[in-house]
Amino acid sequence: MATQQPAYTAPIGGVVPAGPPVARPTVLRVAWYAMLAAALVAVVGAVVVFATGRDFVESAGSSYLSEHAAGAFDHADAVDTAYGLLVNRAVLDLVAIGFALLFAAFARNGATWARVLVTLVLLLSDTTRLTTLGTGPAGFTVTTVLLVVLSLAIPTLLFLPAVGRYAKARKAARRATRTA
């Protein structure tokens, strides 16, 4: 008597074939492109500071010093200090956006820890942006406002329900392949 074969194929090498891949939600792609736009805006802001910051500080500083501290401060030292602060703020923006971009690469795959870190980095860097808003050249102020808007929009996009469902589905798919 012949033995009957099962109606399903057995897994080869203990690997169960996975179901269809989980599709990345559109809102997550929009958040990624917004993060790339924020990085571009931060670079433009830094270029504006490096190109026009010293001239801005010299013109704004000379009018301020002539009104408030006539002769009390060395004008060159005051300009150097103010320009240094502007450059520090631009470099801080670049570093913060760099870390946020790194974490956003992981957040693209739905990693919750990365979404939390992107949110923390962006919102913490907003504190320095908001306290120094309007203290630099006009182009730097415009890029600062754009960065604040983007850094509020990106975490909002990262924590929409579609992204949460995507993260859960990816986690379940990983868990299914591990237990198989």
Side-chain angles (χ1 to χ4, degrees):
M1 180 164 214
T3 55
Q4 198 170 6
Q5 295 293 325
Y8 63 89
T9 57
I12 300 172
V15 177
V16 176
V22 181
R24 183 174 285 139
T26 302
V27 72
L28 199 53
R29 283 192 292 266
V30 170
W32 172 249
Y33 292 131
M35 193 64 232
L36 292 177
L40 179 67
V41 169
V43 168
V44 168
V47 168
V48 167
V49 165
F50 296 138
T52 64
R54 184 167 293 283
D55 295 335
F56 171 79
V57 168
E58 285 179 359
S59 65
S62 62
S63 63
Y64 179 81
L65 288 175
S66 65
E67 291 175 14
H68 296 90
F73 298 102
D74 182 25
H75 180 70
D77 288 342
V79 167
D80 288 343
T81 301
Y83 179 66
L85 290 174
L86 273 178
V87 168
N88 285 340
R89 195 5 253 303
V91 169
L92 181 64
D93 274 349
L94 290 175
V95 169
I97 290 296
F99 276 115
L101 197 58
L102 172 70
F103 298 141
F106 290 102
R108 281 185 72 195
N109 293 327
T112 304
W113 64 268
R115 291 186 290 154
V116 169
L117 287 175
V118 167
T119 301
L120 286 174
V121 168
L122 290 177
L123 295 181
L124 286 175
S125 63
D126 268 355
T127 58
T128 58
R129 287 187 195 114
L130 290 173
T131 57
T132 59
L133 187 63
T135 59
F140 192 56
T141 301
V142 169
T143 59
T144 299
V145 169
L146 286 173
L147 279 174
V148 168
V149 169
L150 286 170
S151 64
L152 293 174
I154 291 167
T156 303
L157 292 170
L158 288 177
F159 285 99
L160 287 175
V163 178
R165 288 190 297 271
Y166 173 70
K168 286 179 185 177
R170 288 215 17 134
K171 194 173 192 178
R174 277 193 314 268
R175 203 174 288 138
T177 58
R178 284 184 195 159
T179 60

